[in-house]
Amino acid sequence: MTGRARRACTQGVLAAALCAAPAVLAAPAQARASAPSVRVIVRLTTPPLALVAPRRRQLMGVGSAARIDASSFGSRLYRARVRAVQDVFAARLRSAVPAARVERRYGVVLDALALRLPVSALARVSALPGVADVYPVATYHATADTVPGLVGAVPLWGVDRSAAGQGIKVGVIDDGIDATAPFLAPAGLRAPAGFPLGQRRFTSGRVIVARSFAGDDAPAPDHLAFDPNVSEHGTHVSGILAGAYGTVAHPGMGLPVVHGLSGVAPGAWLGNYRGLARGVHESGAIGSTVELA
């Protein structure tokens, strides 16, 4: 692991997530034997849009001190500046490592590029001007776990469930959400102003965003925000988060009907951000740091 990458693993939650599988960079000799190339995320020194100082946001027209407006004119100008810096880096990369390939760019939460490059070129990339850190790419799997019988949510709901998540938007980064599932029925909910967004055929009054972040080389179904052959875990998690209050479950296969199911925040809206979308495997859908970032 390079000195920069090693330091990054000690700096913050995002760094910890991106450094979850450091073996890729820690053992380049082994990597050469088994795989000639490696995927990494290279963070550049220019701050991304999300890290623009709160006081500057208002002056630059990118939002208020508390919130970013990524679609504003000022935000688009700033992201164009970030893109220009990335273009300069990409040109340097092509010159230093002709075999390297840019897979994805980031500009809102990260100023970074996802790369595939020869393992032997890691040191050269880390030393390029403008590089802040080089992160290894980790792979994540959806895991189904038992649901706690009691989390203490009901006492917080108030009279007539007036504080059961109303007005809250929850983003679910998983393998997709089935907006037609009975437990996710709108139950009187309507999308707020400006929504739904994304692939609207997979949205509802409860699921107000539907997007997939599959890689360019992924099969066509992975570019859908919901795939009935894969999208199970995200639907399961979404039911726990914001399943409609009073749902009656008919599991079939001789199992008893269950009355009165509810999610923890039945009044909340859900955003479906499909990041585990690399096909069906023995362990289910998967997604790497490249898609999840």
Side-chain angles (χ1 to χ4, degrees), residues 165-187:
Q166 287 85 341
I168 301 298
K169 304 180 185 73
V170 183
V172 180
I173 305 173
D174 210 298
D175 63 9
I177 300 176
D178 181 3
T180 68
F183 201 19
L184 299 179

Side-chain angles (χ1 to χ4, degrees), residues 214-228:
D216 293 339
D217 58 346
D222 281 357
H223 291 277
L224 299 176
F226 168 70
D227 179 357

